Amino acid sequence: MTWSIVPRGGQRDQLGEGTLWSAREGALYWTDILAPALNRLVLATGEVTRWPMPEPLGWVAEREGGGFIAGFRSGFAELDLEPLTIRPFLSPEPELPGNRMNDGKADAAGAIWCGTMDMAEDQDSGALYRLAPDRSLARADGGYRVPNGPAFSADGRWLYHSDTARRTVFRFARLDEARLGEREVFIRIGEDDGYPDGMTVDGEGHLWIAHWGGSRVSRFSPDGTLDRAIALPAKQCTNVAFCGEALDVLYVSSAATGLPDSEHDGALFRVEAGVTGLAPHLFGG
């Protein structure tokens, strides 16, 4: 398996995250939470565009009607890029001003599942939420230090979500479109392998995880067994997304925060993973 760094004219991400493949644009989007900024790579041309943002931005999800829903530190907003327009509409935790959004994705039902966390990473004040297509919000789980994921099994039966600080990936049985079963431990990451960060599921139902502090991405079988690991030169790998018309190339974001200058840390990687992914879903509201 081979990897390469996507050329970006020396640009590095302080905290790359929120990788999202847009089939309708033929582009990969990802955030730089701490810059803060949103990036776009057009695969056909290699052109990279970067939009500064007014506050930390954890993730974006495409809307069925065009544009995005964005998970800012202060909450949910409609986001359009050309021209840049931000329309906030809901704050999930107004009583917790120290919290921010961290990671989120839309599911097959057109809802967004996303996590919040303490910006300082000192408190277990984070939670997992579901934003329905009608824009009603429900809290699904709590007690997180650094929530990451989520990801959805290929058969729709499971939702995967991690607490990076606990080195643990959880899974929830999906009882229906909106309700989850009890949280259960799915994978524990050993100390030598860093921390589980962003995740995605491939077309064979295997879970891919980026390792913060582990310089790798790993593939786990549906029963939680390690299938393979791909070493990368970035110490803090943060998120993964299958991209391209055939969804056959894995892109990996990384973070430079807290590390000395390096061409690898904070770079975006292109990885020939040998499998294909699943198409991301659109938010229905």
Side-chain angles (χ1 to χ4, degrees), residues 37-52:
L38 178 64
N39 304 300
R40 180 183 66 193
L41 166 68
V42 178
L43 266 60
T45 65
E47 178 186 9
V48 177
T49 306
R50 185 173 171 94
W51 290 269

Side-chain angles (χ1 to χ4, degrees), residues 7-32:
R8 298 169 60 197
Q11 177 71 55
R12 296 194 305 159
D13 294 315
Q14 294 182 50
L15 180 52
E17 256 289 4
T19 51
L20 171 71
W21 166 243
S22 169
R24 66 189 178 197
E25 295 189 29
L28 169 71
Y29 284 90
W30 77 103
T31 68
D32 184 343

Side-chain angles (χ1 to χ4, degrees), residues 42-220:
V42 178
L43 266 60
T45 65
E47 178 186 9
V48 177
T49 306
R50 185 173 171 94
W51 290 269
M53 291 291 150
E55 60 179 287
L57 173 64
W59 53 267
V60 294
E62 286 190 296
R63 300 175 62 197
E64 287 183 356
F68 301 88
I69 297 296
F72 285 100
R73 177 176 181 173
S74 58
F76 301 95
E78 294 180 358
L79 173 66
D80 294 305
L81 295 174
E82 295 170 342
L84 180 62
T85 308
I86 300 170
R87 297 178 294 276
F89 64 87
L90 179 64
S91 175
E93 297 168 339
E95 75 285 4
L96 295 172
N99 273 18
R100 67 165 175 85
M101 296 274 197
N102 193 52
D103 207 355
K105 287 189 181 75
D107 68 7
I112 292 173
W113 295 84
C114 55
T116 61
M117 60 175 282
D118 173 29
M119 189 84 174
E121 301 182 23
D122 291 331
Q123 306 295 323
D124 295 335
S125 59
L128 173 65
Y129 290 93
R130 178 183 185 268
L131 180 71
D134 66 3
R135 302 195 179 184
S136 61
L137 187 68
R139 187 176 187 271
D141 195 28
Y144 290 88
R145 179 68 58 91
V146 182
N148 264 300
F152 314 102
S153 65
D155 60 12
R157 294 178 53 210
W158 301 98
L159 182 149
Y160 305 109
H161 197 232
S162 68
D163 192 329
T164 298
R166 292 184 170 88
R167 288 194 167 92
T168 303
V169 179
F170 302 104
R171 70 175 183 175
F172 301 80
R174 301 200 65 178
L175 306 180
D176 55 33
E177 288 183 353
R179 296 183 304 129
L180 301 178
E182 294 296 315
R183 181 172 76 184
E184 60 183 72
V185 172
F186 182 53
I187 298 166
R188 292 195 188 277
I189 303 297
E191 290 189 16
D192 292 341
D193 297 323
Y195 300 81
D197 209 308
M199 302 182 285
T200 194
V201 173
D202 66 29
E204 298 175 1
H206 289 60
L207 182 67
W208 288 80
I209 301 175
H211 291 242
W212 178 278
S215 302
R216 62 188 260 194
V217 294
S218 295
R219 184 187 194 230
F220 292 85

